[in-house]
């Protein structure tokens, strides 16, 4: 591998938190008197900032309502999100392999930093990640390159030596904006055909397929 640093998105790249996310959305919608959204519609918003996801699902841009939604979402997420987040079967082995080969690793995501820490701690994987940049760590969320560039700078890495791996077009756009190579996994809701709209080095079905070859 020509890279010395691999940085990942989190949801649908390293882990599946669908159950916690869906229950948190619908808990908040219930509190606000908004009709429940179906699981697939919510899945397709995962990776967006929560306010953008709310707008996509409701077509409502009322800031007061969005702030109330965010508060209710967090209330439920604090209860369920960590225990409902499952790392993919090959996540820990992939991260261990990278570390054993001397690579630096990171996570850049719109998800809250502390939730990533909680999830990784639950699976004994926190020490396999060198830096985490969450949604609250940046001024502008992905696809702005701010978080990815911050992670790269913190690791004292050169752009040419970095690979960013994600499951969505937001991740592809982020890598492009940061001028780093991108690899896609189809463990989320985005197909290989959709990824063809943006530069990538490879599209794989899972992390093992990429790092075992």
């Amino acid at each position: 591998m020509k890279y010395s640093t691999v940085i990942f998105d989190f949801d649908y790249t390293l882990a599946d938190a669908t159950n916690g996310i869906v229950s948190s959305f619908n808990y908040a919608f219930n509190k606000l008197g908004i009709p429940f959204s179906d699981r697939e519609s919510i899945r397709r918003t995962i990776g967006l900032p929560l306010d953008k996801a709310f707008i996509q699902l409701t077509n409502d841009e009322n800031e007061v309502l969005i702030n109330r939604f965010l508060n209710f979402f967090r209330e439920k997420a604090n209860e369920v999100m960590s225990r409902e987040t499952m790392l993919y079967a090959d996540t820990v082995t992939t991260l261990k392999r990278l570390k054993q080969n001397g690579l630096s690793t990171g996570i850049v995501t719109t998800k809250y930093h502390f939730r990533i820490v909680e999830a990784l701690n639950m699976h004994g994987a926190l020490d396999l990640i060198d830096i985490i940049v969450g949604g609250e760590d940046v001024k502008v969320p992905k696809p702005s390159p701010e978080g990815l560039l911050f992670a790269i700078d913190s690791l004292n890495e050169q752009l040419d030596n970095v690979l960013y791996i994600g499951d969505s077009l937001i991740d592809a756009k982020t890598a492009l904006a940061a001028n780093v190579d991108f690899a896609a996994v189809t463990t989320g809701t985005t197909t290989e055909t959709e990824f063809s709209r943006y530069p990538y080095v490879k599209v794989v079905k899972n992390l093992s397929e990429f790092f075992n070859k």
Side-chain angles (χ1 to χ4, degrees):
M1 179 180 290
K2 74 170 191 174
Y3 307 102
S4 54
T5 293
V6 179
I7 300 176
F8 300 88
D9 173 53
F10 188 75
D11 283 323
Y12 288 150
T13 300
L14 295 177
D16 185 346
T18 305
N19 289 342
I21 292 170
V22 170
S23 62
S24 298
F25 263 103
N26 282 326
Y27 171 86
F29 286 164
N30 181 58
K31 288 285 191 178
L32 296 170
I34 296 172
F36 282 11
S37 283
D38 65 272
R39 183 182 179 89
E40 186 58 27
S41 294
I42 293 173
R43 283 185 75 237
R44 292 194 169 275
T45 72
I46 293 176
L48 291 172
L50 281 173
D51 56 345
K52 304 299 185 186
F54 176 88
I55 293 169
Q56 181 169 309
L57 291 169
T58 66
N59 293 315
D60 194 325
E61 299 185 18
N62 183 287
E63 290 188 11
V64 173
L65 187 63
I66 291 172
N67 285 330
R68 292 182 65 204
F69 161 77
L70 294 174
N71 287 332
F72 286 131
F73 182 99
R74 291 169 188 142
E75 183 177 294
K76 185 64 173 179
N78 287 338
E79 175 190 335
V80 303
M81 194 64 71
S82 293
R83 73 166 184 258
E84 295 284 354
T85 298
M86 304 302 297
L87 299 184
Y88 288 124
D90 56 1
T91 292
V92 172
T93 54
T94 296
L95 294 175
K96 284 182 177 179
R97 185 178 300 115
L98 292 174
K99 299 307 294 180
Q100 288 166 356
N101 289 334
L103 277 73
S104 298
T105 57
I107 293 172
V108 175
T109 175
T110 56
K111 203 178 191 79
Y112 289 123
H113 187 136
F114 74 93
R115 294 214 193 282
I116 304 298
V117 171
E118 288 176 351
L120 293 177
N121 261 328
M122 287 187 67
H123 295 277
L126 185 59
D127 62 340
L128 299 175
I129 297 293
D130 297 307
I131 187 167
I132 298 169
V133 181
E136 74 271 45
D137 298 324
V138 297
K139 294 180 179 178
V140 185
K142 297 187 300 182
S144 163
E146 179 189 348
L148 185 51
L149 291 174
F150 175 79
I152 294 167
D153 185 62
S154 298
L155 294 170
N156 294 313
E157 189 56 275
Q158 301 297 313
L159 296 179
D160 289 347
N161 297 330
V162 176
L163 178 68
Y164 186 52
I165 300 180
D167 68 282
S168 72
L169 296 185
I170 291 173
D171 299 321
K173 293 175 184 178
T174 303
L176 181 61
N179 198 30
V180 301
D181 283 353
F182 175 69
V185 286
T186 56
T187 38
T189 60
T190 307
T191 65
E192 182 171 355
T193 300
E194 290 173 294
F195 280 120
S196 66
R197 294 159 51 190
Y198 295 93
Y200 62 79
V201 296
K202 198 166 188 179
V203 178
V204 294
K205 294 179 181 178
N206 53 57
L207 295 176
S208 292
E209 186 179 334
F210 187 90
F211 291 107
N212 284 340
K213 293 185 178 181

